[in-house]
Amino acid sequence: MSSPDLRTELCGIELCNPLVNGSGTLDALTAGTLGLAAFVTKTVTLHSREGNPPPRIAETPAGMVNSIGLANPGLDAFCADHLPRLGDLGVPVFASVGGWSPAEYATAVARIGAHPAVAAIELNVSCPNVESGCISIGTDAGETRALVERCLGETDVPVLVKLSPSVADVAAIATAAAEGGAHGLVMINTVRGIAIDRDRLEPLLGGGGGGLSGPAVKPVGLHAVYHAWAATGLPIVGMGGVANAQDCIEFLAAGAAVVGIGTSLFADPELPGRLLPELGALVRRHGARRIGDLVGVAHPQVSSSSRA
């Protein structure tokens, strides 16, 4: 039997496999792409940011909490120094953009989207480690819709919206993004959490609280993807606690077209390369010939039609 076809596409972008990194979890200029099909940049803001005070990462029993605070060189330096080199990676580049107002997002989208190295733009409206902007936009359906509409007029490349699960109804926010014209969704970002030092009985992170990621959030990620896909039908980059090929299959079944790997890359940078043959074996085990055949099969209407 021939090997299953792991090629896929996202918003018209052809990918050699369904694996990408989560924003901020990989320095591709140092480590390379590690077998991933596309590279997602760390979130870029209009002005440079030093980020939150250290320490910024703390391990938890089921993952980690981080409080990076959107540290980045700013739009000018990113466009001048980083984008030209990212274009040499040999894979599509998805640029993540953040901001504190629609105008800031729009300015960054226009500049970055015009660069030939950029295949898509991710609007980060879900970072939990800043006091305003980002997640304050992404928790309001009206603001999310308006932001997407504003940014779509600034670029010709696909626009994806990265959503937080920390909302009353994630499907409603996903629907708002879709109504604004989003080409796809990215979900989930980290979940708000905190870690306490056992001896000092104080927060471990310099910024106090942070964002929880890793295996603990996988059911949250699956829930968000499942309901967002059911509500919108948009292509989704699904992530949250992905650590093995079975996790990938479950996100595909929930509705993700592409799967993001984040926290696992910190401990095991070679994980993506090992996942691909395991993923192929699981696709074959489920009787599929191509990876796309498994997208959404956890939904009753899809699983019924696939068995017909």
Side-chain angles (χ1 to χ4, degrees):
M1 181 182 294
S2 60
S3 298
D5 187 354
L6 297 184
R7 292 175 298 175
T8 188
E9 64 93 21
L10 180 73
C11 303
I13 304 165
E14 295 184 0
L15 303 175
C16 61
N17 66 64
L19 303 181
V20 302
N21 64 295
S23 173
T25 62
L26 174 66
D27 182 354
L29 294 178
T30 300
T33 59
L34 308 177
L36 299 167
F39 172 66
V40 184
T41 72
K42 187 166 176 35
T43 297
V44 181
T45 57
L46 187 59
H47 304 292
S48 63
R49 287 179 55 86
E50 292 186 3
N52 291 335
R56 296 178 174 179
I57 294 178
E59 188 175 357
T60 68
M64 72 177 191
V65 288
N66 85 83
S67 181
I68 306 300
L70 296 182
N72 75 96
L75 181 61
D76 288 342
F78 177 76
C79 290
D81 302 332
H82 294 255
L83 269 181
R85 291 186 289 161
L86 291 174
D88 294 331
L89 289 174
V91 299
V93 174
F94 299 167
S96 179
V97 172
W100 280 259
S101 70
E104 288 193 8
Y105 277 94
T107 298
V109 167
R111 285 273 305 279
I112 292 174
H115 197 284
V118 175
I121 289 179
E122 171 187 288
L123 301 180
N124 182 354
V125 295
S126 51
C127 175
N129 296 322
V130 291
E131 294 181 358
S132 62
C134 285
I135 197 167
S136 66
I137 296 173
T139 54
D140 183 283
E143 289 194 33
T144 298
R145 183 186 305 110
L147 177 66
V148 177
E149 290 175 346
R150 173 78 179 269
C151 290
L152 281 176
E154 304 292 341
T155 183
D156 293 327
V157 303
V159 173
L160 302 100
V161 186
K162 187 169 187 178
L163 300 180
S164 170
S166 302
V167 294
D169 185 354
V170 70
I173 305 297
T175 299
E179 291 172 349
H183 299 92
L185 303 172
V186 182
M187 53 201 328
I188 57 172
N189 209 322
T190 56
V191 179
R192 280 177 168 157
I194 197 168
I196 301 294
D197 185 282
R198 295 181 180 181
D199 297 320
R200 296 183 294 110
L201 298 182
E202 297 174 354
L204 276 169
L205 299 180
L212 173 67
S213 61
V217 306
K218 178 186 164 188
V220 180
L222 287 171
H223 175 274
V225 169
Y226 186 95
H227 289 284
W229 192 77
T232 70
L234 287 178
I236 296 176
V237 180
M239 65 182 75
V242 173
N244 54 55
Q246 179 60 39
D247 293 336
C248 296
I249 293 293
E250 292 173 24
F251 270 96
L252 292 167
V258 171
V259 179
I261 304 174
T263 301
S264 295
L265 286 176
F266 287 90
D268 187 3
E270 297 181 356
L271 177 64
R274 293 201 312 277
L275 282 189
L276 292 174
E278 297 172 8
L279 192 56
L282 282 175
V283 171
R284 184 186 301 111
R285 173 185 161 193
H286 287 282
R289 289 183 293 181
R290 36 189 302 277
I291 198 80
D293 294 338
L294 297 180
V295 174
V297 296
H299 296 255
Q301 69 274 24
V302 177
S303 60
S304 297
S305 62
S306 65
R307 288 194 295 266

